[in-house]
């Protein structure tokens, strides 16, 4: 009995997400084809010029925009940002520092503090649970 190894492929949207790029800004061949895991690994380890340019200049997908601004994706939506932004546009937003961005950054800072507090509390509880009772 022979086993046939099939190459695992993914849709361009999935590959773009894994590469952290905006699908609509990728070359047509990338958008219309399928990407194998081997091809994805090659793109990640040795990115072609188009991928390097997209990563540095954009347009960037919303998760990348949110990360560069230090806020959540929901915060982007609350701020009215629904489209992909270029690095230049992100830098301009940082420079302008609108009220909604300051507010979202403060919210994100609170969320991070709370996450750390909960993590520490849970670690403390699990440490107490492991101590032998007398």
């Amino acid at each position: 009995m022979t086993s046939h190894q099939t190459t695992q492929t993914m849709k361009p949207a999935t590959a773009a997400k894994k590469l952290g790029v905006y699908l609509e800004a990728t070359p047509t061949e990338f958008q219309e084809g399928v990407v194998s895991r081997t091809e994805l690994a090659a793109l990640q380890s040795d990115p072609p010029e188009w991928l390097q340019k997209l990563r540095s200049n954009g347009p960037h997908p919303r998760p990348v925009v949110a990360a560069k601004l230090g806020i959540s994706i929901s915060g982007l939506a609350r701020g009215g940002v629904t489209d992909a932004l270029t690095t230049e546009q992100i830098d301009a937003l940082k420079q302008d520092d609108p009220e909604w961005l300051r507010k979202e950054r403060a919210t994100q800072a609170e969320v991070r503090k709370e996450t750390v507090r909960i993590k520490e509390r849970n670690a403390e509880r699990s440490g107490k649970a492991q101590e032998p009772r007398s």
Side-chain angles (χ1 to χ4, degrees):
M1 184 181 331
T2 340
S3 74
H4 296 286
Q5 192 89 14
T6 58
T7 304
Q8 288 185 324
T9 60
M10 61 192 81
K11 294 178 183 175
T14 304
K17 189 174 184 178
K18 289 179 181 280
L19 292 169
V21 295
Y22 187 57
L23 177 63
E24 284 75 15
T26 60
T28 308
E29 312 83 62
F30 183 86
Q31 292 179 36
E32 294 175 352
V34 291
V35 181
S36 71
R37 290 195 178 273
T38 308
E39 291 168 334
L40 179 68
L43 287 169
Q44 289 172 324
S45 65
D46 187 24
E49 188 177 340
W50 65 265
L51 182 54
Q52 291 174 17
K53 283 183 178 179
L54 266 180
R55 285 180 170 167
S56 64
N57 303 329
H60 303 286
R62 290 181 327 136
V64 174
V65 173
K68 285 180 180 268
L69 291 173
I71 62 175
S72 68
I73 296 172
S74 300
L76 268 182
R78 285 189 293 270
V81 178
T82 56
D83 297 327
L85 298 178
T86 63
T87 301
E88 194 175 295
Q89 291 169 314
I90 293 168
D91 291 343
L93 252 178
K94 286 179 179 178
Q95 281 282 290
D96 294 345
D97 199 25
E99 176 62 32
W100 70 266
L101 183 55
R102 287 194 300 274
K103 188 174 173 184
E104 290 301 331
R105 283 181 169 163
T107 300
Q108 192 67 19
E110 288 301 314
V111 167
R112 287 185 184 120
K113 275 190 219 172
E114 182 65 6
T115 301
V116 168
R117 185 190 69 77
I118 290 170
K119 200 178 235 182
E120 288 171 350
R121 183 198 67 199
N122 290 344
E124 191 178 297
R125 283 183 180 173
S126 66
K128 285 182 179 178
Q130 292 174 0
E131 291 177 11
R133 295 182 181 165
S134 42

